[in-house]
């Protein structure tokens, strides 16, 4: 099967500045994410994985280098184009879920779709978006917790809600930053199974960031982050 590159980072450099001291984190990273498969980015804590993911999600900008989505450069695109990319083209999930504590599961899933609408549009579309959110909660096995707030959910349930929220706009690509990093082993496996099903059954392309070799080994392609650069891990690269 032929896979095309959907997302690429080329020659990426990124440093942070702390007390006037430059802390180089990424030192010439090149990585490609191909459509239809699960790509893992593995490396020890502090190796710069989240930094790279944030750049690929246009949440931050590289010092040097370029990010391309479907052949188009996006790291220096206008704010409007970057918002559109984040809201429609990709979904993002985080280790700590980033759910709004005062909203129920279904309201959290609906929230990104309600932002930026006029009041009239809000009331016109609310019913339809709620239906869509219910279907998405059902898809991730959380419909029975639709009215629960994050404080009334387990870690696995919160991650399911975050996955449902990330998939509401039907993105083709999911960026997942340590999606099981805060879960017990068994719950983590359930989340990985769900992500694998979304890849296999729904054709969702996934970039999975992890510090865990055993998770990375199950991906179709695995890149290892080391000293601010990527090396292709020998354990990976099975033909997808
Ligand atoms: P990983 O996700 O692989 O654990 P990160 O990308 O979060 O690594 O961090 C890489 C390095 O950059 C770490 O040494 C971290 O302390 C540093 N770092 C991350 N974010 C910032 C920031 N906003 N300011 C300063 N240093 C940061
Ligand atoms: Mg991280």
């Amino acid at each position: 099967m032929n896979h095309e590159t959907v997302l690429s980072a080329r020659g990426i450099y990124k440093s942070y500045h702390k007390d006037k001291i430059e802390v180089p984190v990424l030192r010439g990273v090149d990585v490609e994410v191909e459509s239809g498969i699960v790509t893992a980015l593995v490396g020890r804590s502090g190796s710069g994985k989240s930094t790279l993911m944030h750049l690929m999600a246009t949440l931050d900008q590289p010092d040097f280098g370029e990010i391309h989505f479907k052949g188009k450069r996006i790291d220096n695109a206008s704010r409007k184009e970057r918002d559109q990319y984040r809201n429609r083209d990709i979904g993002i999930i985080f280790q700590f879920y980033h759910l709004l504590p005062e909203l129920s599961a279904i309201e959290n899933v609906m929230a990104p779709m309600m932002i930026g609408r006029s009041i009239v549009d809000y009331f016109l579309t609310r019913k339809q978006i709620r239906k869509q959110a219910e279907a998405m909660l059902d898809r991730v096995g959380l419909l029975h917790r639709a009215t629960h707030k994050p404080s009334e959910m387990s870690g696995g349930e919160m991650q399911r809600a975050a996955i449902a929220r990330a998939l509401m706009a039907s993105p083709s690509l999911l960026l997942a930053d340590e999606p099981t990093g805060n879960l017990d082993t068994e719950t983590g496996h359930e989340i990985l199974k769900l992500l694998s099903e979304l890849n296999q059954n729904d054709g969702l392309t996934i970039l999975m960031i992890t510090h865990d070799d055993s998770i990375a080994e199950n991906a179709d392609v695995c890149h290892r982050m080391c000293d601010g650069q990527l090396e292709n891990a020998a354990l990976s690269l099975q033909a997808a």
Side-chain angles (χ1 to χ4, degrees), residues 97-213:
Y97 328 121
H98 288 204
L99 298 172
L100 296 169
E102 66 274 22
L103 300 185
S104 66
I106 192 155
E107 288 164 346
N108 264 288
V109 173
M110 292 169 70
M113 306 295 277
M114 306 309 277
I115 290 168
R117 289 179 191 273
S118 68
I119 300 224
V120 175
D121 196 23
Y122 178 94
F123 283 106
L124 283 176
T125 53
R126 191 177 161 82
K127 217 171 166 184
Q128 181 212 330
I129 290 173
R130 178 171 280 272
K131 253 193 169 159
Q132 204 183 325
E134 277 171 4
M136 202 51 85
L137 282 175
D138 198 22
R139 178 71 189 86
V140 301
L142 198 67
L143 193 53
H144 62 304
R145 292 285 181 270
T147 58
H148 285 230
K149 291 191 173 168
S151 61
E152 300 158 347
M153 289 189 268
S154 69
E157 287 170 345
M158 285 193 270
Q159 192 57 291
R160 283 175 197 272
I163 293 170
R165 179 184 56 186
L167 299 180
M168 269 295 273
S170 309
S172 58
L173 169 64
L174 180 70
L175 305 181
D177 193 358
E178 308 257 12
T180 64
N182 207 31
L183 300 173
D184 62 76
T185 311
E186 198 179 319
T187 310
H189 278 131
E190 285 169 14
I191 293 296
L192 291 176
K193 188 164 162 264
L194 171 62
L195 292 176
S196 171
E197 280 169 15
L198 289 164
N199 168 251
Q200 299 276 319
N201 303 341
D202 304 37
L204 183 69
T205 302
I206 300 177
L207 175 63
M208 169 111 68
I209 285 175
T210 179
H211 65 271
D212 187 335
D213 279 354

Side-chain angles (χ1 to χ4, degrees), residues 37-55:
I37 63 173
V38 179
T39 300
L41 184 61
V42 65
R44 62 174 179 74
S45 178
S47 59
K49 305 180 297 295
S50 294
T51 300
L52 180 61
M53 195 194 91
H54 289 166
L55 297 178

